[in-house]
């Protein structure tokens, strides 16, 4: 019974936050962010253990895999454009991946965290199913990698639209590549708000970043002797 309540609470919260976002359309009220804050605050206030919440939450979590796979559909619909822009897509993904790895490294050095946390932050812009094994392989903390991945995703969908507007990027290719390479699945969900082409490019960027990142991440640590 408690599991059913947690499922209903989670879905209900997300629906309400989606309606609020549709009315206000402010980046700070992105449903996935506000829902996370409300649910986390509720668990803390009422002292509900995370394990208890996950008796119902695990059923929602199980849809993460199919949701990511479903992103292949907009990629298929835009396959001609993807083939047409394959070179800039590849260059954009590699540039985004290098930027993500180096910013994670330099930010960790700036705040003075120890080596283990530094290695945990490096794969922050890879999608969660990839960031976890990469963090484990390079000597980071897999469970903490999830947190940093979420922070990168939330930062991208909140600050990304403003940043792209300030630097004048308006094309579907540019916006999609930025969202997908910097903020993985959360960025791709944001790209859907702009259109199918934006979402397709974001999905491609996210997928390629995951593939390349699983190889380049460990190489990055080895080359720079981190």
């Amino acid at each position: 019974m408690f599991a059913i309540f947690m499922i209903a609470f989670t879905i209900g919260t997300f629906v309400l936050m989606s309606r609020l976002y549709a009315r206000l359309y402010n980046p700070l009220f992105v449903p996935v962010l506000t829902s996370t804050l409300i649910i986390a605050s509720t668990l803390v206030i009422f002292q509900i253990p995370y394990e208890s919440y996950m008796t119902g939450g695990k059923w929602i979590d199980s849809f993460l895999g199919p949701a990511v796979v479903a992103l292949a559909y907009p990629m298929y619909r835009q396959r001609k454009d993807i083939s047409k822009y394959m070179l800039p897509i590849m260059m954009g993904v590699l540039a985004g991946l290098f930027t993500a790895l180096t910013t994670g490294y330099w930010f960790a050095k700036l705040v003075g965290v120890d080596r283990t946390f530094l290695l945990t932050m490096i794969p922050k812009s890879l999608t969660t199913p990839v960031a976890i094994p990469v963090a484990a392989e390079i000597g980071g903390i897999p469970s903490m990698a999830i947190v940093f991945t979420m922070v990168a995703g939330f930062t991208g969908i909140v600050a990304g639209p403003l940043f792209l507007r300030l630097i004048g990027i308006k094309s579907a290719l540019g916006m999609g590549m930025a969202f997908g390479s910097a903020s993985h699945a959360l960025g791709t969900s944001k790209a859907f708000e702009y259109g199918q082409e934006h979402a397709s490019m974001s999905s491609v960027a996210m997928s390629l970043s995951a593939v390349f990142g699983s190889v380049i991440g460990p190489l990055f640590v080895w080359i720079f002797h981190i």
Side-chain angles (χ1 to χ4, degrees), residues 75-124:
M75 290 174 60
Y76 173 75
R77 292 191 60 182
Q78 302 293 335
R79 61 192 182 280
K80 292 182 180 179
D81 288 337
I82 292 173
S83 298
K84 180 180 178 181
Y85 297 111
M86 184 55 68
L87 181 59
I89 286 174
M90 296 295 290
M91 296 300 293
V93 167
L94 291 175
L97 183 59
F98 180 76
T99 301
L101 293 172
T102 52
T103 53
Y105 171 74
W106 286 113
F107 179 77
K109 293 285 287 185
L110 181 66
V111 298
V113 299
D114 62 30
R115 182 175 181 273
T116 301
F117 274 92
L118 187 153
L119 294 171
T120 305
M121 292 182 68
I122 286 177
K124 62 179 174 54

Side-chain angles (χ1 to χ4, degrees), residues 71 92-93 96-97 100 124-127 152-153 156-157 164 172-192 198-210:
L71 295 174
V93 167
L97 183 59
K124 62 179 174 54
S125 289
L126 305 180
T127 187
I157 62 178
L164 292 174
L173 175 61
M175 294 180 70
M177 295 299 295
F179 280 123
S181 60
S183 301
H184 40 85
L186 288 176
T188 302
S189 68
K190 181 66 178 179
F192 267 105
H198 296 73
S200 300
M201 296 305 171
S202 182
S203 181
V204 170
M206 180 190 73
S207 302
L208 291 179
S209 293

Side-chain angles (χ1 to χ4, degrees), residues 44-61:
V44 172
I45 292 172
F46 292 98
Q47 297 183 348
I48 301 174
Y50 177 74
E51 293 75 14
S52 298
Y53 168 77
M54 284 305 292
T55 57
K58 67 181 180 181
W59 298 104
I60 298 175
D61 185 60

